[in-house]
């Protein structure tokens, strides 16, 4: 087999479909978010980032940076090993205590990323519980899908955000089988929000465990940033709450929170936890500082919601088609992979606005989009520039406008 020819042919296929991904060479600048420096060969210039998952700009917050500097000076760079072999640092313990308190759970366990926390936890729980069946929302993230698949457990897919379909499918499973219902709170590409209470009602009716991925909600919703479940007073109804430290908290890592026995079970059996080097202490310290700050400060969340609402209103006024949802994510629907990439390139090259195109397989074919994530630090001038550029490019690409235009 000609291996190189195979690789090149597959990549050429992506290019011909308009799905080949090009990374923007960016350098985040402390204190300047949402600005970043973009490198193109020997040239470097500032761009405005409109697609960051650092939703609140906490990766630039002075309190977070100070905590990281302090831990770096105190402990050095790395953790020194896995959590089992010399890698458990006091900052890890403090962070897990902070997360358990955030979600009002007995315990928490941190991982090297949100992807790993989903993969390791779901694969371990589903594999180790005898005769377990996992009921997975059809919109679940790839990390959840891969974890469930890796477990080898039976998997049943229920219709997206549909408690009635979940109820029908659970009713067909013998009452004495272990059952785990896995779903998300905020879905990252459409921005819709799960009916958590109704899904929990169905799970309780059939004696099933519940697993909630809150990665796109922690820090952003609830009086202390505990997510949608906290906002709706439902945290006590979830068996497992999973989250990330790399989005609204602005640092890096993932975690689960739940009972002490459940967290200890995952700690003791999950290969994705046991055999990987622990988070650097400075990262853990920064995450803890971010969580502590957002538990008491409402400023970032209030400003964030105001900016999101303003961008939506402005785009609606000029007929830029967006997917309606109740969250902070604004999907601008292009529905064509080539034009989606064209618009993204034009925004970056001609307007110094960075919004990455979202194509298949991240979203279904025919639903290609620009995923806009306003932050509290985007100014009115930033919004003016974004709206003006999209207005111009929509006309150039002869794309349809929504009927909401004034």
């Amino acid at each position: 087999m000609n291996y190189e020819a195979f690789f090149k042919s597959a990549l050429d296929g992506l290019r011909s479909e308009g799905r080949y991904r090009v990374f923007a060479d960016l350098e985040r600048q402390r204190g300047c978010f949402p600005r970043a420096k973009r490198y193109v060969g020997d040239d470097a210039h500032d761009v405005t980032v409109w697609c960051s998952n650092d939703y609140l700009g906490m990766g630039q917050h002075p309190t977070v940076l100070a905590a990281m500097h302090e831990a770096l000076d105190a402990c050095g760079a790395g953790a020194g090993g896995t959590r089992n072999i010399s890698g458990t640092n006091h900052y890890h313990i403090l962070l897990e205590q902070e997360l358990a308190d955030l979600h009002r759970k007995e315990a928490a366990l941190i991982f090297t990323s949100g992807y790993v926390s989903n993969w390791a936890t779901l694969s371990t729980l589903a594999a180790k519980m005898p005769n377990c069946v996992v009921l997975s929302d059809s919109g679940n993230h790839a990390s959840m899908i891969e974890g469930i698949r890796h477990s080898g457990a039976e998997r049943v897919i229920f219709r997206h955000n549909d408690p009635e379909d979940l109820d029908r499918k659970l009713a067909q499973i013998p009452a004495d089988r272990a059952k785990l219902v896995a779903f998300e709170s905020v879905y990252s590409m459409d921005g819709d929000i799960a009916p958590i209470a109704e899904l929990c009602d169905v799970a309780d009716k059939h004696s099933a465990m519940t697993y909630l991925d809150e990665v796109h909600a922690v820090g952003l919703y609830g009086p202390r940033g505990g997510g949608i479940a906290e906002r709706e007073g439902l945290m006590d109804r979830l068996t497992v709450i999973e989250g990330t430290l790399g989005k609204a908290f602005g640092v890096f890592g993932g975690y689960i929170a739940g009972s002490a026995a459940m967290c200890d079970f995952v700690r003791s059996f999950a290969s994705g936890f046991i055999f990987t080097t622990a988070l650097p202490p400075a990262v853990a310290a920064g995450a803890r500082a971010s969580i502590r700050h957002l538990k008491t400060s409402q400023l970032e969340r209030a400003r964030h919601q105001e900016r999101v609402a303003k961008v939506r209103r402005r785009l609606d006024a000029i007929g830029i088609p967006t997917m309606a949802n109740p969250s902070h994510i604004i999907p601008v629907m292009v529905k064509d992979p080539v034009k989606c990439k064209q618009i993204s390139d034009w925004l970056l090259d001609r307007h110094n606005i960075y919004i990455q195109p979202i194509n298949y397989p991240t979203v279904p074919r025919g639903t290609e989009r620009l995923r806009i994530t306003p932050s509290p630090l985007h100014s009115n001038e930033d919004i003016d520039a974004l709206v003006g550029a999209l207005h111009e490019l929509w006309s150039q690409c002869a794309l349809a406008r929504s009927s909401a235009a004034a």
Side-chain angles (χ1 to χ4, degrees):
M1 179 176 179
N2 187 329
Y3 300 110
E4 287 298 304
F6 171 78
F7 299 148
K8 290 176 181 177
S9 175
L11 294 171
D12 287 342
L14 289 178
R15 291 186 181 94
S16 68
E17 294 179 37
R19 296 196 293 120
Y20 181 74
R21 301 181 183 191
V22 178
F23 293 158
D25 184 355
L26 303 178
E27 180 180 279
R28 284 160 64 91
Q29 299 172 280
R30 185 181 69 178
C32 296
F33 187 83
R35 304 288 177 271
K37 193 175 293 295
R38 181 196 180 199
Y39 289 88
V40 182
D42 296 329
D43 178 51
H45 59 274
D46 286 346
V47 298
T48 302
V49 179
W50 276 97
C51 57
S52 176
N53 282 344
D54 184 359
Y55 292 128
L56 300 177
M58 290 302 293
Q60 308 285 308
H61 198 282
T63 299
V64 175
L65 300 185
M68 295 185 75
H69 280 295
E70 179 183 342
L72 183 64
D73 291 340
C75 301
T82 67
R83 291 287 297 274
N84 290 309
I85 304 176
S86 81
T88 295
N89 187 280
H90 187 54
Y91 284 104
H92 297 139
I93 303 301
L94 294 175
L95 174 56
E96 287 171 343
Q97 291 172 349
E98 202 69 54
L99 288 163
D101 175 78
L102 175 66
H103 294 292
R104 303 300 192 198
K105 296 294 187 183
E106 291 179 344
L109 188 68
I110 56 174
F111 295 81
T112 49
S113 73
Y115 191 104
V116 173
S117 57
N118 266 336
W119 181 89
T121 303
L122 283 166
S123 64
T124 301
L125 291 173
K128 294 295 183 182
M129 290 192 296
N131 201 25
C132 180
V133 57
V134 183
L135 295 103
S136 177
D137 187 288
S138 63
N140 277 345
H141 189 263
S143 58
M144 302 174 77
I145 295 168
E146 288 298 324
I148 296 165
R149 181 182 294 128
H150 182 75
S151 74
E154 180 183 352
R155 181 182 64 166
V156 175
I157 309 298
F158 65 93
R159 283 202 296 265
H160 180 53
N161 283 347
D162 190 336
E164 292 182 359
D165 190 50
L166 174 62
D167 190 23
R168 284 191 293 270
K169 288 181 165 59
L170 276 168
Q172 297 170 7
I173 299 169
D176 60 351
R177 287 191 68 178
K179 297 173 284 290
L180 174 60
V181 178
F183 56 101
E184 303 180 39
S185 58
V186 177
Y187 286 84
S188 63
M189 289 300 131
D190 290 354
D192 53 336
I193 295 177
I196 300 175
E198 291 85 348
L199 292 171
C200 286
D201 287 343
V202 174
D204 290 348
K205 174 183 173 182
H206 296 279
S207 300
M209 292 174 61
T210 47
Y211 184 105
L212 177 65
D213 176 321
E214 287 257 43
V215 297
H216 292 277
V218 290
L220 300 172
Y221 301 94
R224 301 196 311 155
I228 299 295
E230 184 196 26
R231 185 187 74 178
E232 298 179 5
L234 299 169
M235 291 193 296
D236 61 314
R237 301 193 63 186
L238 283 309
T239 312
V240 185
I241 296 176
E242 185 268 347
T244 184
L245 306 169
K247 292 185 170 60
F249 293 132
V251 192
F252 185 75
Y255 66 89
I256 59 169
S259 72
M262 187 277 297
C263 288
D264 197 17
F265 179 87
V266 174
R267 181 190 71 88
S268 300
F269 290 102
S271 63
F273 176 86
I274 295 169
F275 296 108
T276 192
T277 299
L279 286 177
V283 171
R288 179 174 180 254
S290 182
I291 295 162
R292 287 173 68 87
H293 175 82
L294 290 173
K295 280 180 176 177
T296 58
S297 175
Q298 304 301 323
L299 178 66
E300 292 82 4
R301 284 189 284 275
R303 172 73 172 176
H304 180 237
Q305 291 166 13
E306 184 272 329
R307 297 283 85 182
V308 170
K310 180 162 189 169
V311 172
R312 285 189 191 280
R313 286 196 305 270
R314 293 289 304 279
L315 294 178
D316 286 345
I318 61 170
I320 300 297
T322 62
M323 182 179 290
N325 65 55
S327 77
H328 59 283
I329 294 164
I330 304 177
V332 171
M333 305 307 293
V334 181
K335 301 183 180 181
D336 179 285
V338 175
K339 288 184 177 179
C340 197
K341 175 89 168 54
Q342 269 185 341
I343 292 173
S344 175
D345 289 344
W346 284 345
L347 285 170
L348 189 56
D349 294 336
R350 304 183 188 187
H351 298 274
N352 295 322
I353 291 171
Y354 175 53
I355 310 174
Q356 185 71 6
I358 306 295
N359 295 328
Y360 178 85
T362 306
V363 296
R365 297 180 192 275
T367 69
E368 293 80 10
R369 68 199 64 182
L370 302 173
R371 179 180 177 272
I372 296 176
T373 54
S375 80
L377 300 175
H378 283 97
S379 67
N380 288 335
E381 291 74 21
D382 293 332
I383 296 174
D384 289 343
L386 172 70
V387 172
L390 285 174
H391 178 69
E392 171 191 321
L393 295 176
W394 230 253
S395 297
Q396 288 183 6
C397 290
L399 291 167
R401 297 189 184 243
S402 70
S403 58

